[in-house]
Amino acid sequence: MNDNIYMLPDGEICRRIGQKIKQLRLRQNITQMSMAEQSQISVSSIKKIENGEIGSFDSLMRVLRILGELDVFSPLLKEEEMSPNEYLKFVEASKKQQRKRAKSDKSQSTLNNQEESEW
């Protein structure tokens, strides 16, 4: 299984993920019925996932959560850190993009308010 994942067809990747999920479930001594109850998806969905028919990302996440394997998504959730130079450029760019408020003529607005109140 040292294949380059990018060379594998999508169906093969799903099949291997399904096999791995089944192995993990069996290693943890969890039945398909128990997995279905804990993840709140149907037993038929569990069977499909284990056969590599992963139709729902939500269901896959629920199963991985029960198996304690959500860590596979950690690299996708990690925010990239900016270098000090990148941060400086970001700050400078945001300062340039800030809009300035138009200056109001307070004396004109005060005059208008006085005229309105006299009526």
Side-chain angles (χ1 to χ4, degrees), residues 1-10 12-13 16:
M1 285 216 193
N2 289 336
D3 300 322
N4 181 347
I5 194 165
Y6 293 97
M7 300 300 289
L8 297 174
D10 293 351
E12 178 63 15
I13 293 170
R16 290 183 185 191

Side-chain angles (χ1 to χ4, degrees), residues 21 35 39-42 45-46 49 53-66 70:
I21 287 172
M35 175 67 72
S39 60
Q40 299 180 341
I41 59 176
S42 67
S45 291
I46 298 293
I49 289 170
E53 300 170 39
I54 303 169
S56 165
F57 186 74
D58 179 60
S59 295
L60 177 62
M61 281 196 335
R62 289 172 182 230
V63 167
L64 291 174
R65 183 182 308 276
I66 300 305
L70 276 179

Side-chain angles (χ1 to χ4, degrees), residues 28-50:
Q28 293 181 31
N29 202 23
I30 301 173
T31 65
Q32 287 179 331
M33 179 67 80
S34 176
M35 175 67 72
E37 289 172 0
Q38 290 179 58
S39 60
Q40 299 180 341
I41 59 176
S42 67
V43 175
S44 63
S45 291
I46 298 293
K47 290 179 181 181
K48 286 180 181 179
I49 289 170
E50 289 183 356

